[in-house]
Amino acid sequence: MVLPSTARRIIPAMFRDSEFMMLALKASERGAGFTEPNPMVGAVVVKNGRVLAVGHHAACGKSHAERVALEKIPEKGTTIYVTLEPCCHVGKTPPCTDVIIAKKVARVVVAMKDPNPLVSGKGIALLRRNGIDVRIGCEKDLAARLNRHYLKSMVSGFPYIAIRAGISLDGKMSDKSRRSRWITSPELRERSRSLRGEFSAILAGSATVLADDPQLTLRDPHWDGKRFFRVVLDTDNRLPNHLRLFQDQDRFPTIVFSSASARDQTPKTGLHFFIPTTVGGLPLPDVCRILFRMGIISILVEGGEMVIDSFLKQELFDEVILFVSPTLIGGRDSASIFSSGADRLEDALRLKNMETIVLPSGVIFRGFH
């Protein structure tokens, strides 16, 4: 079939759009873990098929990707590829639409609209009113996947929640004596700890904290300088002050949730919340909403058994990440990943878009709700 001449011009251009947008998406990933509660954004400036500049949003409060990419570009009539709609409001930084207009950019290719009500199509409309050609939707699905924390929180007013667990091949989190150190290999544990930096906060229950006295911090040098919240569910307010998670509060603030009816109402930190409980204990949706109001838009739930089971049972999760060792533990008394279980096969929790990483010492499974 012979394509019309107009189609022959458009199709190659769209292929190049995809190529340059992929560069922008790759650039956006450099901000992973540091931009929240802002999104990750990348930008690529192109003219006559040549890349002139690449920029990304490095951290919350720093310059946005479009401004970084355009600030040293003297050329007019360029095309800029942006992974999210340029902002048009004054926040911690000036509007990105201002610099795009001032630099006389001819064309803007946007992966997806920004659901933030302060933007939400307004940035695109402003660019078009200034005579700039705007294309929307290039590599939209990949852009949405990369910014899933931001998009979930912005659309729902609720944090993105991932559940992480180290388990045996038969789904056990401990042996019959409830000992969990160490089910997984050093290799898997190192990867697990590095994973924490992708999120705003880590959450654990008081039983795990009392048993293991974990630091719940970031040790991978890649995350140096990142502020990271530690969240503990301590219904009865029984955690002693000497635990390691109460150290280094400047970089790793600890947030504690206890019952409003706990006998001891003495706060352990400046971020200690005493909230009404239900029959099942601390209401997890209320906990998550409080964290969201604090600017925490993503949470990694690390345990223990009852906490993970509660999040699974209430389907309060977006993602499950399992670090699986090639061992069989067995035993009815061993802790399980989903101890309450489904009543029927039809009620089983099914994950989709599974990702698998096979390592010499085990397998990492990552699936989405």
Side-chain angles (χ1 to χ4, degrees), residues 62-280:
K62 292 192 175 182
S63 295
H64 288 189
E66 301 94 318
R67 194 167 292 274
V68 172
L70 284 168
E71 60 185 357
K72 295 181 181 179
I73 299 296
E75 289 92 339
K76 302 175 183 178
T78 60
T79 295
I80 186 168
Y81 295 83
V82 190
T83 59
L84 192 69
E85 178 181 4
C87 64
C88 53
H89 65 286
V90 177
K92 292 183 178 180
T93 59
C96 294
T97 49
D98 285 3
V99 69
I100 292 172
I101 294 166
K103 289 286 186 175
K104 300 189 183 303
V105 173
R107 184 168 179 257
V108 178
V109 180
V110 180
M112 63 181 301
K113 289 184 179 180
D114 188 342
N116 185 340
L118 295 173
V119 188
S120 192
K122 300 182 183 72
I124 291 167
L126 179 59
L127 294 175
R128 284 174 170 163
R129 285 200 301 272
N130 280 270
I132 298 173
D133 179 30
V134 182
R135 179 192 168 196
I136 309 162
C138 181
E139 300 297 340
K140 177 183 177 181
D141 291 343
L142 183 52
R145 177 71 173 267
L146 288 174
N147 258 330
R148 58 188 181 272
H149 295 184
Y150 171 77
L151 297 175
K152 159 73 184 298
S153 65
M154 186 58 65
V155 171
S156 68
F158 203 82
Y160 185 96
I161 298 171
I163 293 171
R164 186 220 70 93
I167 62 173
S168 64
L169 201 57
D170 54 346
K172 300 296 184 179
M173 298 172 62
S174 75
D175 60 20
K176 290 194 291 186
S177 300
R178 296 285 168 146
R179 292 173 301 203
S180 58
R181 290 190 173 185
W182 293 104
I183 287 178
T184 56
S185 67
E187 179 184 36
L188 288 179
R189 294 199 299 274
E190 182 179 350
R191 292 218 178 197
S192 176
R193 283 193 285 263
S194 181
L195 172 76
R196 293 174 180 176
E198 295 181 18
F199 297 83
S200 298
I202 186 171
L203 184 148
S206 59
T208 296
V209 171
L210 286 169
D212 299 336
D213 189 17
Q215 291 177 287
L216 300 179
T217 57
L218 303 176
R219 304 178 200 177
D220 189 329
H222 176 76
W223 304 116
D224 285 351
K226 174 182 168 70
R227 197 163 187 249
F228 184 68
F229 289 88
R230 300 174 287 188
V231 182
V232 184
L233 306 182
D234 182 20
T235 304
D236 298 322
N237 193 19
R238 59 188 179 129
L239 295 179
N241 291 313
H242 63 75
L243 294 175
R244 293 193 294 175
L245 63 80
F246 292 121
Q247 300 169 7
D248 199 3
Q249 289 293 299
D250 288 339
R251 185 181 170 197
F252 303 110
T254 299
I255 305 169
V256 183
F257 288 90
S258 298
S259 170
S261 58
R263 181 176 299 177
D264 183 358
Q265 294 285 307
T266 306
K268 294 293 197 311
T269 73
L271 297 171
H272 196 147
F273 297 89
F274 292 87
I275 63 176
T277 53
T278 63
V279 175

Side-chain angles (χ1 to χ4, degrees), residues 24-25 27-28 41-45 53-56 65-67 69 80-83:
L25 288 165
S28 76
V41 181
V44 172
V45 182
V54 178
H56 74 283
E66 301 94 318
R67 194 167 292 274
I80 186 168
Y81 295 83
V82 190
T83 59

